[in-house]
Structures are given as C-alpha cells and as structure tokens.
Amino acid sequence: MTFGIEAAGYYVPSLYLEIKDLAEKRGIEPAKLEKGLGLHKMGFPDVHEDAATFAAEALLKMIRDYDLNPKEIARIYLGTESALDAAKPTASYAMQMVEKVLEKEFGERCFRNCDVVDMTFACIGAVDALHNSLDFVRINPDKKAVVIASDYAKYELASSGEYTQGGGAVALLISSKPDLLEIENNWGIATESVFDFFKPRRNYSKKDLSSAPETFPDKIEIFTDEPVFDGQYSNQCYQDRIREAYQHYKEITGKDKPYEAWKYLIFHLPYAFHGKRVFTEIYSIENGLAYGTPDEQKAVAKSENYLNFINEKIERSQRASSEIGNMYTASIFMALLSAIQVSFDEGEDLTGAEIGFLGYGSGSKSKVFAGKISENWKTAASKWNLFENLKNRTAIDFETYEKLHRKQLESSVNENYKGFGLQSVETENPVLKGARYYAYKD
Ligand SMILES: CC(=O)SCCNC(=O)CCNC(=O)[C@H](O)C(C)(C)COP(=O)(O)OP(=O)(O)OC[C@H]1O[C@@H](n2cnc3c(N)ncnc32)[C@H](O)[C@@H]1OP(=O)(O)O
C-alpha cells in the first residue's frame, strides 16, 4: 500500500506590490532583489484577509476542485506561525468558514466529527502536520486527512526581511490513494534550539537583553506578528540544519548521494533563490569540493556544473515564490506546486520521478524526505492553473502598502472582493472580546 498526497489546493493574497517599487522607496538597488534574491512581486493581504481566510480559501478550493465529500475528512491539521489566537486554533476558524459554505450541500456542521488542530514550528509546522498525518493514514488506510499550511510573512517596515514578505496557503489531501505523490516513510531530522528567528510573547525592552543583536527592535510587544530575527544567522542555521538532516536521511536510507536521483529538490523558500544559495554546502560535501573559504564557496556557486544542476533541479520550484514572496510554512508546498505546474504546462511526463524535500523551521529544525510522482499526477495537477491565477491579483502602490502594513485602512482595497473575509472583531462584550467573525461573499 502507498501513502501520500491525493490532491492539492492553494490560495495567495489578492494584492501585490512590485518589488522594484519597494526597492526604489527603500533606496535598494532593484537588481539586488530581482537578480540577487529572485524577488519580483510581494503578495500582500487585503484588510479582510488573514491566515484563517487563506486556509479556508485553500481548503474550499480543494474540496470543490476535486469534488471531495467533507464528511470523509477525518482530520484537518494546520501548520502556521501566524495564529490569530494563542488558544483557539486558526484551523477552527478556517473549518467553520468552510462548513458554513458547504451547509446547503452537506447539512449543518459537516466537520462535526473531524479532528482539527494547529501545529507550530516556524516554517516547518506544516511539514510536521504532513508527517503526522501520513502516520495517521498509515494506521487508518481507509481514512483521509487534510494538511493546511497557512501563513502571513510580515516583517518590520524597512527591515532586511521586508522585501521577503508574502503569504498564502496550500491545502493537501493525505490518503492511501496518493494520486499526486507517494511519500516514503524515511525522515531525516535535525533539531537544535537557537534564536535565529522567533516571535516572543512577552513585553520587554532591548535594554533587558544584554546580548541582543542590533537587529532587535527596541520594544517587543505581546502577540507581535513581526519576528525578532538575525537574517544572516538564520541563513546559517538553515544551512546547518539541512546538512544535518540530509546526513541523517542518508544514514537511515543507506542511499549514496540521494540528491542525484531527485528530479526536483523542493526547499522551504523564504525567498526564491534561498534553496540554491544554501545547497552549495551539501553539493560540495557530496562531490568532494573545497568549501572552507568564502572564495571557495563562491567558486562552487558559480561553477558550470552547479549552474546546470540548479537549472535542471531547482529553478522551476522558485518561479511561484518570485511572484508571491515568503509563505513561511506554505512555501515548501508552493515550491512543489510550482515545479509540477511547470512540468505540466510543458507537457513533460513526470510519472515515477523522485522528488526530494528539504524543510526548515527557525528555532530550529529540518526534515529531509522524498516521494515519487504518481501515475495520475496530471489529473491532480490539471486543477491548479497556478501561473494563470497569479495574474488575477490587484497591484497596489507603495503608499497603500504602507497603510495596509500599519493597519491604517478601515475598508478593503478590493471592496467588491469575493470569497472569505473578516467582518469584525469583538471589542465590547467582555466574554467575547477578541472573537473574530468571518463571512463568505459569492
Ligand atoms: C525565515 C527563514 O526561513 S530563516 C532563513 C532565511 N532568513 C530570513 O528569511 C529572514 C528575513 N530575511 C533577511 O533577513 C534577509 O532578507 C536575508 C538574510 C534573507 C537576505 O539578506 P540580504 O542581506 O538582503 O542579502 P544577501 O547579502 O544575503 O544576498 C544578496 C544577494 O544579492 C546579490 N546582489 C547584490 N547586489 C546585486 C546586484 N546589483 N545585482 C545582482 N545581484 C546582486 C549578492 O551578491 C547576493 O547574492 P549571492 O550571495 O548569491 O552572490
């Protein structure tokens, strides 16, 4: 019996800012962002959008596209680091939104017997949800599980993370009928507790932290959605963890140079070019190349062999990221959709192709695993139209972007939007203070 991904749906924020507009206002050379990091557009949520509406949209799209019966979904595990509440899971909001829309066809509370929960570990939370849900269907092969990855990657204005912002969600149906991708049960894992990127839920000031790096904000507030981070250190932690997890994967599978057999290498992409920039280390180790000094590292990155390797095995997975930005925990799954969509559009046959995954979550953990494209993959992929749909977003100017970022807009930029939207947040009633209410517009 095989297990893996049967179907997939996604949602990206309805607005975007051209990266060159941001570069100009911040005095950054556009070529650094476009050619250095691979950024073109930054997806940005409208006033009515958040991690719960992203998740609900992706889930509803998947249910509709594949004609799924929601009553057959035994669990919905949602990976996120953009939770809207510290107790009530974002998954419960998303589930309720979808349930209401499906009421006419499936009756009240179609998810009544569904197990719903959030999983959080920075950008790897949804990989954890996937790992866990695969175990679940292995034990219960007649059941189906849904994994949703949903996040809003927001950074402080004018910080080094600002140009990597983005957001959105990917929903996956996990079952013993993996029409898209069979996933093998070998998980290379590496964990180390570090402070490369985190969202502390305390009130304290920089002076309380004797060793705080310069990048730390002066004051950290409760429930901040903007992280405390050290960019170059987070790159280092990412590189260290994927090296260790890849090594672990080799040990448990006994495979020699497993990456060579992978048709695509799918990374967590905090920005489009991240995977190809950090994989140089593993590539050098595997091929016995010198990698100690910055000059040696540059030589590997610029070598013809490495450039060919990127072109063949990584470039296609970057394309959606260039148009959306960081989707945190959804990035790795959007990278998968991106690569498969390109193959589909180019009429390539992927059946049987091996795909390797290198996930990372700050804090920190990496998981390396692999899968095989199924015979029915084209039917599954034919629903997405990913690059066409990315053209249906609304461009915003820099002033609107800053107002949205500062939460200064009262009403949505797209006032006539369709789909799920936040209607209100309770401020008066003391026993409901903070409750969020959503609605669906046809
Ligand atoms: C959240 C996680 O997933 S943890 C891992 C990633 N961390 C983050 O995402 C945290 C938030 N982001 C950040 O802090 C930052 O955006 C970072 C760390 C990702 C990037 O940092 P920056 O200082 O902006 O960029 P950095 O100097 O590392 O790289 C710029 C690249 O552009 C290239 N570049 C610079 N100027 C130009 C130019 N004019 N033309 C072409 N390329 C250029 C540089 O050569 C370099 O590429 P290379 O090293 O491959 O040659």
Side-chain angles (χ1 to χ4, degrees):
M1 213 165 202
T2 55
F3 303 91
I5 303 173
E6 180 179 333
Y10 65 92
Y11 182 78
V12 292
S14 56
L15 308 176
Y16 71 88
L17 177 70
E18 290 284 356
I19 274 296
K20 58 177 165 21
D21 294 350
L22 181 73
E24 192 191 313
K25 297 286 184 202
R26 296 282 182 243
I28 303 169
E29 219 185 316
K32 175 192 162 179
L33 304 187
E34 291 173 351
K35 299 202 168 70
L37 301 177
L39 311 170
H40 296 298
K41 294 187 172 83
M42 179 204 287
F44 211 80
D46 205 339
V47 172
H48 60 276
E49 294 179 308
D50 59 25
T53 66
F54 295 162
E57 295 281 1
L59 175 59
L60 185 63
K61 182 165 162 47
M62 183 170 76
I63 289 174
R64 294 269 195 244
D65 283 352
Y66 298 85
D67 225 354
L68 306 179
N69 180 348
K71 293 187 172 173
E72 286 176 7
I73 299 171
R75 55 157 59 178
I76 300 171
Y77 275 26
L78 182 138
T80 189
E81 56 170 294
S82 320
L84 303 157
D85 188 292
K88 184 172 160 52
T90 301
S92 67
Y93 280 111
M95 172 216 83
Q96 185 187 35
M97 278 185 248
V98 174
E99 215 170 38
K100 285 245 164 72
V101 173
L102 297 177
E103 224 167 56
K104 269 195 212 127
E105 296 139 87
F106 296 97
E108 272 185 20
R109 290 180 54 209
C110 60
F111 291 124
R112 182 190 322 233
N113 303 119
C114 186
D115 176 7
V116 170
V117 80
D118 282 4
M119 287 195 145
T120 297
F121 197 136
C123 298
I124 203 166
V127 170
D128 292 332
L130 170 70
H131 191 171
N132 203 282
S133 295
L134 282 164
D135 289 347
F136 172 76
V137 293
R138 276 193 184 97
I139 297 168
N140 306 281
D142 56 331
K143 296 206 165 133
K144 291 182 191 291
V146 164
V147 168
I148 309 178
S150 183
D151 265 319
Y152 168 26
K154 188 179 185 191
Y155 288 88
E156 216 180 320
L157 290 170
S159 70
S160 71
E162 185 185 27
Y163 36 84
T164 71
Q165 291 175 125
V170 175
L172 306 170
L173 184 66
I174 309 304
S175 76
S176 56
K177 188 177 154 296
D179 284 345
L180 184 65
L181 184 82
E182 287 171 28
I183 300 180
E184 61 170 38
N185 196 16
N186 292 315
W187 298 79
I189 298 174
T191 309
E192 186 183 11
S193 178
V194 293
F195 291 107
D196 61 330
F197 166 115
F198 59 112
K199 297 175 180 167
R201 285 180 171 166
R202 291 170 41 199
N203 246 330
Y204 56 83
S205 60
K206 197 168 174 175
K207 66 175 165 43
D208 300 329
L209 298 162
S210 52
S211 62
E214 274 309 301
T215 45
F216 273 50
D218 287 338
K219 191 167 178 289
I220 296 157
E221 299 196 331
I222 290 177
F223 300 136
T224 176
D225 49 12
E226 294 161 22
V228 178
F229 69 100
D230 182 338
Q232 295 306 335
Y233 178 52
S234 69
N235 285 345
Q236 190 57 53
C237 293
Y238 183 125
Q239 197 168 39
D240 291 346
R241 286 302 82 71
I242 64 165
R243 184 192 63 245
E244 293 169 355
Y246 180 83
Q247 181 57 35
H248 186 219
Y249 178 81
K250 283 176 66 171
E251 284 162 24
I252 57 180
T253 58
K255 288 181 182 168
D256 184 37
K257 284 195 182 181
Y259 87 88
E260 282 192 338
W262 294 340
K263 157 84 183 158
Y264 289 131
L265 274 72
I266 304 295
F267 294 86
H268 158 54
L269 294 180
Y271 55 91
F273 289 175
H274 189 78
K276 71 170 185 180
R277 285 179 82 205
V278 294
F279 194 73
T280 46
E281 186 184 25
I282 294 176
Y283 183 88
S284 303
I285 295 169
E286 288 286 45
N287 294 291
L289 306 172
Y291 193 74
T293 67
D295 279 350
E296 287 168 346
Q297 293 167 11
K298 198 152 257 174
V300 174
K302 306 278 177 225
S303 68
E304 200 183 328
N305 284 347
Y306 193 67
L307 294 176
N308 288 339
F309 158 78
I310 292 168
N311 242 350
E312 224 182 278
K313 293 178 187 270
I314 300 179
E315 187 275 326
R316 291 163 166 201
S317 69
Q318 300 170 162
R319 294 191 198 178
S321 177
S322 291
E323 297 295 308
I324 302 165
N326 198 352
M327 298 170 77
Y328 283 162
T329 192
S331 296
I332 188 167
F333 300 114
M334 183 50 84
L336 173 69
L337 266 51
S338 176
I340 295 179
Q341 183 74 65
V342 177
S343 287
F344 180 87
D345 293 347
E346 293 183 354
E348 194 178 6
D349 190 10
L350 284 182
T351 304
E354 250 189 75
I355 310 284
F357 294 84
L358 298 99
Y360 176 72
S362 289
S364 64
K365 182 166 72 184
S366 172
K367 286 189 173 177
V368 171
F369 57 103
K372 197 169 76 182
I373 299 277
S374 313
E375 226 180 311
N376 292 334
W377 73 277
K378 280 190 186 161
T379 315
S382 66
K383 316 285 183 190
W384 305 337
N385 294 314
L386 176 58
F387 298 105
E388 280 308 303
N389 284 337
L390 288 175
K391 290 180 190 148
N392 295 332
R393 296 174 293 167
T394 307
I396 49 172
D397 58 23
F398 183 78
E399 286 67 35
T400 309
Y401 153 70
E402 279 211 320
K403 280 186 192 148
L404 278 166
H405 194 289
R406 294 195 166 106
K407 299 188 172 136
Q408 288 168 338
L409 291 186
E410 299 265 304
S411 52
S412 299
V413 175
N414 275 330
E415 281 187 324
N416 300 320
Y417 73 86
K418 288 191 167 50
F420 294 110
L422 178 68
Q423 298 304 297
S424 62
V425 179
E426 180 65 49
T427 52
E428 299 300 325
N429 185 342
V431 294
L432 281 171
K433 220 170 175 177
R436 302 168 75 85
Y437 301 111
Y438 296 87
Y440 185 79
K441 290 195 199 175
D442 271 316

